[in-house]
Amino acid sequence: MKQIAAPLLVVSIFFLGGSTGLARYKIKDLNIKPAQEYVAHQDFQNLVIAAYDCDTEAKTLELFDTDKLHKREILPVLVVVETNNDFAIGIHERDFVLVTRDGTNLPSLPYASVLLHISLDKPLSSYSTQQEMLLLKTVDKEMILDFEHKAFGEKLIAPDSSDSGVVFFMLPEKANLPGARLYLPEIINFSDKTQLMFFEFELGRPQE
């Protein structure tokens, strides 16, 4: 599979110039359902974590106004978290792992690296421009803002509440996508800084 560039920080987006003549990007609203209503979910430790994997172009276009994600073999996964605990929990997108059917572990990808991957015609290493400026010169500003807003990022979820976001992975080979599992090894209880048990469930089907 193709390699993705290392994470980078995008700053001051609102105050910098627009794109370089690319077609206007349209921000789409996310239709977030209760976690229990997604086919793939796990209910455990007074938490429900659900995943909606966009393994087709049509599904990807439900989230983002670009067909480049699917064409460049990026898999967006919408993750919905609901907690019924009396303490806040912390979850970071970097801790999500996609485990393919053959046991390969695919790490999550920061949204900025994804944007560069789908926007550049050549490998990132062939450009001398700083990554932050390269992103701002290459990608529509609205697209950057949309990806930044929808990315799961680092979340602190209050007691008895919910939150959601998109986690990105390289799209596995077709033979390895059926039966792939979403693995989250680290969930922090912020009241005492301890870890909850890990979550792991198959995409496309519920776990009891």
Side-chain angles (χ1 to χ4, degrees), residues 141-196:
K141 183 174 67 173
E142 292 295 309
M143 189 174 182
I144 299 174
L145 292 173
D146 193 33
F147 274 63
E148 180 182 44
H149 175 69
K150 290 175 180 173
F152 195 91
E154 183 176 7
K155 294 191 179 297
L156 178 61
I157 305 175
D160 296 308
S161 65
S162 64
D163 209 336
S164 62
V166 179
V167 182
F168 300 94
F169 301 94
M170 289 301 303
L171 186 66
E173 300 290 347
K174 290 183 179 179
N176 284 325
L177 184 57
R181 306 185 308 278
L182 188 67
Y183 176 49
L184 179 58
E186 185 168 308
I187 304 172
I188 302 297
N189 174 347
F190 261 79
S191 66
D192 57 13
K193 304 302 181 182
T194 60
Q195 290 190 26
L196 279 66

Side-chain angles (χ1 to χ4, degrees), residues 4-8 109-118 131 135:
I4 293 289
L8 58 92
L109 307 168
Y111 79 90
S113 294
V114 169
L115 283 172
L116 285 174
H117 179 66
I118 67 175
Q131 294 182 6
L135 183 67

